[in-house]
Amino acid sequence: MCGIAGFITAPANPIELTTITKKMVDMIAHRGPDDNGVWVDENCQIALGHQRLSILDLSSAGHQPMHSACNRFVMVFNGEIYNHLEIRDKLQSTSHQLLDWQGHSDTETLLAAFVNWGIEKTLKACVGMFSIALWDRQENVLTLVRDRMGEKPLYYGWQGNTFMFASELKALKVHPDFNGEIDRQSLSLLLSFNYIPAPNSIYRGISKLPSGTFLQIPINNYQLPVNATPYWSLGEVAKKGQSQLFSGSDNQALSLLENCLGDAVEGQQLSDVPLGAFLSGGIDSSLVVSMMQTRSTQKVKTFTIGFDESQYNEAKHAKAVATHLGTEHSELYISPNDALDVIPKLPWLYDEPFADSSQIATFLVAKLARNHVKVALSGDGGDELFGGYNRHIWSRSIRNKTDWMPKSIRHGIGSVIASIPSSSWDRINNISDSLLPSQYRTVHAGEKMHKVADLLAVDNDLDLYHGLVSQWPNPSEVVIGENFIDRMKAIVPNKKNFADIEHQMMFMDAMTYLPDDILCKVDRAAMGVSLETRVPLLDHRVVDLAWKLPLHMKIRNGQGKWLLRELLFKHVPQKLVDRPKQGFGLPVASWLRGPLREWVEELIDESRLKKEGYFHPKPIRIAWNEHLQGKNRQNQLWGVLMFQAWLEENL
């Protein structure tokens, strides 16, 4: 795992360009503190920079920027190619001459493949996660690439006469041509979803390269608009999978998943440095760890953090799973002050406003793991592929129970639900939960009931999805000078792609929430402490299999991730993991009313908001007052607060 940066510009002094590039990679040194390098071409128009976190081939043979053996290509690369040794074997078997390998890094393998196979064939052959910048010295073309599911970040764009790119925005911001005008439509997207979906970024003129695409910029026309070219499409994979559904038995499906995920886990244990895994004690992380342990001759190192607040604490469950599997387990109980101390770091870590509050806990567990290992596997991706979120299960019920009602009646019912404070719904739920088996209990009931109230007037699947995930339903009421255009509808078109609404919800999550929230959260938190993270459930072969499975193998008897659960239960007793989904959260709602109250008041002071000119103060102050009175407005407020804290850092 590394950090990359570079730019194309008008011919200039090579010493000046080298200095600029060095400043850019210095800003992302945390992504790769082991080594760095800069290369500027002889025509002084393109510069490439790299910060290296040494994982495979720790020697100088892995240094970047790296040249191909024929000297045609120069590359900087962030990520891992798990099957690169297989690619080497294929290259050797098809080559007319013996390839002279200088080391055993996957970077060298990639370059040889690009030389022999070209761009698309190489990318389609790779199993891994990556962002790549490849300069073709023969054709004078720069190629930027991002992996299939969006595990590794890559920003790019034109600023003045310069085309620039980097793993993180902070590298772009030190370039003298960087402008940094805030994009108010992106700010609206942030308030809707608490993240900014690709291809948008907080800055006008700077984009995120979409997952599964590559972009080519010829140096003679580098200022012209270019379109990303897909080499892999989740939409096509999902469409094809659902049109050719697996028709075998449950046991056959279980065997297929075990083999496929097992291969992914085994491949992702490739490392020349210590490796471990995050373990929350939930379904996905427990499954990844169990499969790691069955494929390892040594005890797998596992990590979790705990909290004294019982409703947020999963450490005891993780410890039980670790004990059963026999891992070398480390846990650290975090005080509120430990968590609160992370908040001032968030604007720097996430580079653009990002408002998933579980980012705090993610950073803390990454920091714990980095004390012991350099690589950690995670269980992310299971929810999006196998129907693990409540919205995947609720969506059909909402449709069935509301479609027959006139709109006015739905509005009325919603108003009644919303009029009851979240705290009252929580008390009602606590009483009912005491009468129910554990698997049917619900956490954060008040917040979820208020979400239901917001959904009762939606008319199509896309609007239903937006209603389920949106925080501020109409950001135009909050963002000054912005007539909100929902760019999410361009990313995920409003058409029925699947026979069932559950798969429609999963697809939209995998296209947006997964890369732009979940994977972004993990990448920035882990790389902030120089830790590489890997995600076996997002191996594209697992993704292919997941989309071939019928719905009843994902959601059964009102419970998601059925097939993942069945596979896990072969390794871990059901009683250790079968409980309500908690997520990786913290008691942020109560902190906002308590130790963070002064911080909140300062950031959303009415006169300050008016002076800065981005937000209308009134709706924000209303939400804040409602929160103080017990109505949970945490998610709405957190998006505003993360922008305000980011703005303060970047003024």
Side-chain angles (χ1 to χ4, degrees), residues 35 50 52 56-64 66 103-105 107:
D35 188 21
H50 187 262
R52 185 184 182 199
L56 296 177
D57 193 343
L58 310 185
S59 74
S60 60
H63 177 79
Q64 298 184 47
M66 185 180 289
H104 64 272
S105 74
T107 310

Side-chain angles (χ1 to χ4, degrees), residues 11 40 45 55 59 69 71 103 105 120 132 206 209 249 287 342 355 390 417 552 556 558 592 608 615 622:
V40 176
Q45 287 185 262
I55 303 296
S59 74
N71 214 33
S105 74
E120 287 200 58
I132 300 168
I206 300 296
L209 187 63
S249 67
L287 178 56
V342 176
N390 286 328
I417 294 174
H552 72 270
R556 189 176 294 191
L592 294 178
R608 175 174 178 167
F615 292 135
I622 289 174

Side-chain angles (χ1 to χ4, degrees), residues 351-583:
D351 241 2
E352 65 179 346
F354 179 81
D356 181 338
S357 61
S358 63
Q359 62 201 125
I360 300 171
T362 303
F363 174 79
L364 290 169
V365 75
K367 186 178 179 182
L368 169 64
R370 188 61 181 87
N371 292 329
H372 303 268
V373 298
K374 210 171 182 179
V375 178
L377 275 63
S378 84
D380 294 308
D383 291 305
E384 292 81 4
L385 295 177
F386 292 89
Y389 294 130
N390 286 328
R391 55 182 168 266
H392 302 155
I393 301 168
W394 286 7
S395 54
R396 181 180 296 275
S397 177
I398 292 170
R399 273 275 171 260
N400 291 344
K401 293 177 180 177
T402 63
D403 271 357
W404 63 273
M405 296 183 196
K407 199 169 186 177
S408 58
I409 294 178
R410 295 204 303 268
H411 273 290
I413 295 173
S415 297
V416 171
I417 294 174
S419 68
I420 301 174
S422 295
S423 56
S424 297
W425 282 116
D426 286 336
R427 285 193 293 271
I428 294 170
N429 180 70
N430 289 339
I431 295 171
S432 63
D433 269 358
S434 64
L435 305 174
L436 293 172
S438 61
Q439 65 266 32
Y440 297 112
R441 295 175 186 172
T442 304
V443 293
H444 311 309
E447 183 178 346
K448 291 169 182 174
M449 288 301 295
H450 280 189
K451 179 64 73 173
V452 168
D454 294 335
L455 298 173
L456 288 171
V458 300
D459 298 315
N460 58 63
D461 290 351
L462 185 60
D463 286 343
L464 176 59
Y465 177 78
H466 289 165
L468 286 164
V469 301
S470 296
Q471 308 305 328
W472 293 89
N474 186 4
S476 300
E477 297 176 353
V478 186
V479 179
I480 295 174
E482 168 61 8
N483 293 318
F484 182 54
I485 300 173
D486 192 352
R487 290 194 233 176
M488 289 288 284
K489 292 183 180 179
I491 299 167
V492 185
N494 187 13
K495 61 181 180 181
K496 197 167 184 64
N497 297 294
F498 307 102
D500 50 74
I501 190 173
E502 294 90 342
H503 272 122
Q504 191 79 17
M505 297 291 118
M506 289 181 229
F507 176 69
M508 288 188 273
D509 271 328
M511 285 286 290
T512 57
Y513 180 67
L514 176 62
D516 297 319
D517 185 307
I518 300 299
L519 297 178
C520 172
K521 174 182 65 180
V522 175
D523 175 83
R524 303 308 191 279
M527 293 309 295
V529 294
S530 306
L531 176 74
E532 174 173 303
T533 49
R534 300 176 177 180
V535 192
L537 281 160
L538 295 185
D539 182 299
H540 73 276
R541 298 164 299 183
V542 178
V543 175
D544 288 349
L545 174 60
W547 279 104
K548 291 175 183 175
L549 296 174
L551 185 62
H552 72 270
M553 290 186 175
K554 300 174 184 178
I555 299 174
R556 189 176 294 191
N557 299 323
Q559 192 173 54
K561 298 194 288 195
W562 180 82
L563 196 61
L564 289 183
R565 292 172 186 272
E566 291 300 302
L567 180 54
L568 175 61
F569 298 156
K570 292 180 66 174
H571 303 277
V572 176
Q574 183 172 349
K575 64 181 180 180
L576 294 185
V577 292
D578 207 359
R579 62 184 185 281
K581 184 178 181 64
Q582 287 184 258

Side-chain angles (χ1 to χ4, degrees), residues 156 158 163 215-218 221-222 224-228:
Y156 73 94
W158 285 262
F163 175 86
L215 192 71
Q216 294 193 302
I217 304 96
N221 285 314
Y222 74 91
L224 295 178
V226 292
N227 295 316

Side-chain angles (χ1 to χ4, degrees), residues 100-160:
D100 183 20
W101 301 106
Q102 300 302 303
H104 64 272
S105 74
D106 50 356
T107 310
E108 188 180 8
T109 306
L110 265 180
L111 277 167
F114 285 136
V115 169
N116 287 274
W117 295 344
I119 302 293
E120 287 200 58
K121 183 177 178 181
T122 298
L123 296 176
K124 290 177 179 178
C126 288
V127 177
M129 56 178 183
F130 43 84
S131 61
I132 300 168
L134 179 75
W135 172 242
D136 186 337
R137 303 179 74 180
Q138 178 177 302
E139 300 295 331
N140 287 332
V141 172
L142 175 68
T143 301
L144 301 181
V145 186
R146 194 175 182 200
D147 63 65
R148 294 174 178 85
M149 295 300 290
E151 292 183 56
K152 294 294 102 193
L154 190 57
Y155 293 88
Y156 73 94
W158 285 262
Q159 297 282 283

